[in-house]
Amino acid sequence: MLKAIKRLPWAGRERNKSRGIYALAFDRLVRNRLAVVSLVVILLLAFVAIFAPLLSPYDPIKQNYDAISQSPSQAHWLGTDALGRDTFSRLLFGARTSLTVGIFTQAIVLGIGVPIGLVAGYLGGMVGNLLMRLVDIVYAFPDLLFIILLRSVLGGGILMIFLAIGLVAWTNIARLVRGQVLSVKEEEYVTAARAMGASNSWIILRHVLPNSVGPLLVAVTFAVPRAIFVEAALSYIGIGVPPPTPSWGTMIQDGYTVIFVAPHLVLFPAIAIAVVMLSFTFLGDGLRDALDPRISRRV
């Protein structure tokens, strides 16, 4: 009898309803083949970045003047640059630089934008208005120009790049979190928790923040390729990652002067940047569709 009930058409739907929202979102994400492929590419790039010293056939900063600007060959799979450095090795270590910038920059962005958005949205009033005016002031500056200004003031190495990009990119996260908080704090369960005497901090950490994780995760996924592109642009104009540290933007800048003689010096790092940006973008699209509660798919 029980087996017959389990085979009823509505029985499966009841079991699905009993599952968590994130389990259902994961099912929808898995059904998105493009998002899954993008996730695999990102994980592969992360693996390459972590194990670059083991995978690299040459030292990425060692110069070999006997192999200057060589085309791809059996000895150098992607050729060499104007200083005789192996392009494939520099591409592997460049993945480490780019992914590190993209991920650690988002840590700074979340550390600044989430608290400001939470406080501005939940408290509102004069405090919320002051915080949002601060967001508007920072948002009004052109991003790249502001980052160049901060780089000139802060100087330093790659850590200062994290800080410079993070100090500019947090405004969108703050606005997103504030909008989510304004919506969630009017829900009945928040009102009930407040009526039972729960503190503001407990309500924010227990109810408001967890219900804002979905849109926040999507926003971060879209922001990672943007940070990678900004780092590449800064390296291209000469104020990014300091040499001789390999960076895809630096590789493009170095190869631009000989692009007609050795186009592979620009082509391969440009393809790497494009692949990373497209992978994160497609994954962000998949996460947005999977976490959207208005999407009704049978899973």
Side-chain angles (χ1 to χ4, degrees), residues 188-199 203:
E188 294 181 356
Y189 54 85
V190 175
T191 304
R194 192 180 298 116
M196 294 175 64
S199 63
I203 293 175

Side-chain angles (χ1 to χ4, degrees), residues 71-86:
S71 301
S73 63
Q74 186 174 0
H76 300 279
W77 297 346
L78 301 182
T80 59
D81 63 7
L83 296 177
R85 296 172 297 190
D86 183 64

Side-chain angles (χ1 to χ4, degrees), residues 236-290:
Y236 178 76
I237 61 179
I239 60 173
V241 177
T245 303
S247 167
W248 292 341
T250 304
M251 294 175 66
I252 293 177
Q253 195 274 339
D254 292 341
Y256 178 74
T257 56
V258 292
I259 187 172
F260 295 107
V261 178
H264 63 277
L265 297 180
V266 175
L267 180 62
F268 294 128
I271 291 176
I273 294 174
V275 168
V276 171
M277 295 189 67
L278 287 175
S279 297
F280 275 102
T281 301
F282 291 146
L283 179 60
D285 285 336
L287 288 173
R288 181 181 57 194
D289 294 343

Side-chain angles (χ1 to χ4, degrees), residues 179-187 189-190 207-208 211-212:
Q180 290 295 119
V181 172
L182 290 175
S183 175
V184 172
K185 76 174 186 178
E186 302 299 331
E187 296 291 340
Y189 54 85
V190 175
H207 294 295
V208 177
N211 285 281
S212 305

